[in-house]
């Protein structure tokens, strides 16, 4: 009979994620590149749920899902008739179908890359504390002038600036100029050492299909100097996968251990006897538990204000951070990805959730 695979996926959690991703898609005006989410055990790396919307019926992969079918029908009705030659029209229709299949089958969580934006500030804040480049007593005054780096001026998202802030408030307010400072105080070489230690320079090693490589200064053969350090510090001008990002921030949530995200536990025979149990690597601590506790407390306190208050649930302690990143490689710089990462319970996280809304 062969063997059965035991998955880490929790069918209830998966169903809830799929339900609310569909809701998020329509609530946010049908974002052109869809929405995606992943839920993971921060301590083991077990993926409890992973999904995207628009999606399709996995039992009928060559049947277009509802949204993709609508796009195909609209093309047939509005665009295809504009092509005069029949052969060209048939070829264009076939290409459209192929592209829709590719979009439908793409796993956004593992196969697609994006700029994580402010959810990455969890990393920068943790490294700053770990390396004593900042402390909980540090402060930063944010003004309308922004901060000048390498001939560029980086402004805060808040018009007029945030004014005087504590270290905790710079993370809670998601103040870009402050993180430019924390990044500079960490220093280029130390920042890069942690960037690699947190796993951002390679694949996670997940067993989920067709994981993409990250894109950063080495893969694009560009420099990493003052300006790059500044933009990396607040999560822009490099690209990672959602599975890589939830792993990276979960390292802060779980007390400092880098885990391997995975969806398979092992195999059993038809009688339920375990044949093989898979092992996944985890590293020694990347940061201290003390640093982890401090960041989680800051994020939990911040969840009562601003955009992260939408991630709170009455009766639960939740730590959360939002992110809004420009697609810097697109001509239209008004195109954004909105995302949010959350951990629960905040004082000793077990679960991490990352959701992204693309364009």
């Amino acid at each position: 009979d062969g063997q059965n695979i035991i998955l880490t996926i929790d069918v209830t959690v998966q169903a809830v994620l799929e339900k609310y991703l569909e809701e998020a898609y329509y609530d946010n005006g049908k974002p052109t590149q869809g929405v995606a989410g992943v839920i993971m055990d921060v301590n083991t790396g077990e993926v409890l749920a992973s999904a995207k919307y628009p999606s399709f019926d996995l039992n009928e992969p060559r049947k277009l899902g509802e949204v993709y079918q609508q796009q195909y029908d609209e093309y047939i009705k509005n665009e295809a008739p504009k092509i005069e030659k029949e052969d060209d029209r048939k070829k264009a229709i076939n290409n459209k179908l192929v592209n829709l299949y590719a979009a439908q089958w793409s796993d956004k969580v593992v196969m697609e890359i994006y700029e994580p934006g402010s959810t990455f500030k969890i990393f920068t804040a943790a490294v700053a504390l770990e390396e004593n480049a900042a402390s909980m007593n540090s402060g930063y005054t944010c003004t309308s002038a922004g901060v000048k780096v390498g001939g560029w001026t980086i402004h805060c998202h808040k018009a007029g600036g945030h004014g005087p802030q504590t270290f905790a408030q710079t993370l809670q307010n998601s103040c870009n100029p402050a993180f430019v400072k924390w990044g500079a105080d960490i220093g280029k070489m130390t920042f890069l050492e942690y960037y690699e230690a947190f796993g951002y320079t390679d694949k996670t090693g997940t067993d989920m299909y067709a994981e993409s490589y990250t894109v950063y200064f080495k893969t694009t053969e560009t420099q990493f100097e003052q300006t790059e350090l500044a933009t990396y510090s607040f999560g822009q001008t490099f690209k990672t996968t959602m599975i890589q990002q939830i792993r990276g921030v979960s390292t802060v949530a779980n007390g400092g251990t880098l885990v391997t995200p995975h969806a398979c536990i092992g195999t059993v025979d038809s009688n339920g006897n375990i044949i093989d149990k898979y092992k996944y690597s985890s590293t020694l601590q990347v940061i201290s538990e003390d640093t982890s506790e401090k960041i989680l407390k800051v994020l939990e306190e911040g969840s009562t204000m601003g955009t992260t208050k939408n991630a709170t649930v009455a009766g639960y302690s939740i730590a959360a951070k939002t992110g809004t990143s420009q697609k810097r490689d697109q001509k239209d710089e008004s195109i954004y990805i909105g995302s949010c990462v959350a951990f629960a319970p905040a004082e000793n996280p077990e679960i991490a959730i990352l959701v992204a809304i693309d364009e």
Side-chain angles (χ1 to χ4, degrees):
D1 291 338
Q3 299 172 14
N4 292 317
I5 297 172
I6 310 170
L7 296 180
T8 62
I9 300 296
D10 182 303
V11 67
T12 303
V13 178
Q14 179 73 23
V16 169
L17 178 62
E18 290 183 15
K19 173 185 175 181
Y20 287 108
L21 286 180
E22 181 177 357
E23 200 171 283
Y25 176 78
Y26 290 104
D27 283 351
N28 289 278
K30 301 180 182 179
T32 55
Q33 299 302 313
V35 299
V38 57
I39 302 176
M40 190 180 82
D41 185 316
V42 301
N43 297 305
T44 66
E46 291 187 357
V47 175
L48 305 178
S50 179
K52 72 168 188 177
Y53 193 87
S55 191
F56 64 101
D57 184 347
L58 295 169
N59 298 303
E60 297 185 90
R62 291 195 175 275
K63 179 182 178 182
L64 290 176
E66 181 182 358
V67 174
Y68 298 107
Q69 185 65 50
Q70 288 174 357
Q71 293 177 16
Y72 180 75
D73 293 342
E74 288 172 5
Y75 182 83
I76 294 296
K77 180 181 178 181
N78 301 320
E79 299 301 323
K82 297 177 182 178
I83 303 172
E84 294 182 3
K85 293 183 178 180
E86 185 178 355
D87 287 347
D88 291 343
R89 187 164 59 252
K90 287 180 179 179
K91 188 181 293 185
I93 290 171
N94 184 64
N95 286 339
K96 180 66 176 179
L97 187 61
V98 168
N99 290 334
L100 286 171
Y101 277 140
Q104 172 169 286
W105 296 336
S106 178
D107 181 352
K108 288 184 72 67
V109 170
V110 178
M111 296 170 66
E112 298 184 21
I113 54 176
Y114 77 115
E115 297 188 43
S118 294
T119 61
F120 189 77
K121 288 171 182 169
I122 294 171
F123 164 91
T124 306
V127 175
L129 290 181
E130 187 72 13
E131 287 297 309
N132 296 315
S135 72
M136 297 304 293
N137 295 319
S138 298
Y140 180 82
T141 300
C142 174
T143 69
S144 59
V147 59
K148 295 187 184 303
V149 183
W152 298 85
T153 300
I154 297 172
H155 291 284
C156 186
H157 64 86
K158 183 179 181 181
H162 286 103
Q165 304 165 96
T166 64
F167 178 82
Q169 287 170 335
T170 65
L171 181 56
Q172 293 162 353
N173 293 332
S174 204
C175 178
N176 283 356
F179 277 83
V180 172
K181 172 178 168 50
W182 306 139
D185 290 346
I186 291 167
K188 182 177 79 170
M189 296 312 298
T190 301
F191 187 96
L192 290 179
E193 286 173 8
Y194 277 93
Y195 188 78
E196 182 174 357
F198 271 76
Y200 284 102
T201 60
D202 204 353
K203 293 182 179 182
T204 67
T206 182
D207 55 10
M208 297 170 76
Y209 181 70
E211 180 182 12
S212 292
Y213 280 101
T214 57
V215 172
Y216 64 109
F217 73 98
K218 277 190 177 179
T219 62
T220 55
E221 297 183 353
T222 49
Q223 64 179 6
F224 189 87
E225 297 299 338
Q226 186 180 16
T227 305
E228 290 72 31
L229 175 59
T231 56
Y232 274 50
S233 295
F234 55 84
Q236 290 263 199
T237 66
F238 67 92
K239 285 191 170 187
T240 188
T241 59
M242 289 182 70
I243 200 72
Q244 180 74 273
Q245 181 63 0
I246 199 169
R247 177 205 202 194
V249 293
S250 289
T251 304
V252 178
N254 69 19
T257 302
L258 192 70
V259 298
T260 301
H262 59 278
C264 293
I265 296 173
T267 58
V268 295
D269 63 20
S270 55
N271 295 317
N273 300 310
I274 296 175
I275 302 298
D276 192 15
K277 193 168 184 179
Y278 303 142
K279 293 182 180 179
Y280 300 90
S281 65
S282 60
T283 66
L284 296 175
Q285 283 193 299
V286 180
I287 59 169
S288 66
E289 289 186 9
D290 180 62
T291 294
S292 174
E293 289 172 4
K294 288 175 179 175
I295 296 296
L296 289 169
K297 186 175 182 181
V298 168
L299 293 175
E300 182 185 11
E301 291 172 349
S303 291
T304 61
M305 64 182 76
T307 53
T308 55
K309 69 186 179 193
N310 294 327
T312 59
V313 180
Y316 292 86
S317 56
I318 294 171
K321 181 75 190 77
T322 55
T324 306
S325 58
Q326 281 178 285
K327 285 193 165 184
R328 300 293 298 181
D329 54 351
Q330 301 286 334
K331 289 182 179 179
D332 183 355
E333 292 193 3
S334 67
I335 295 175
Y336 292 87
I337 293 180
S339 63
C340 184
V341 64
F343 311 107
E347 62 275 7
N348 186 24
E350 295 179 23
I351 303 298
I353 302 176
L354 175 61
V355 171
I357 298 171
D358 195 348
E359 295 189 8

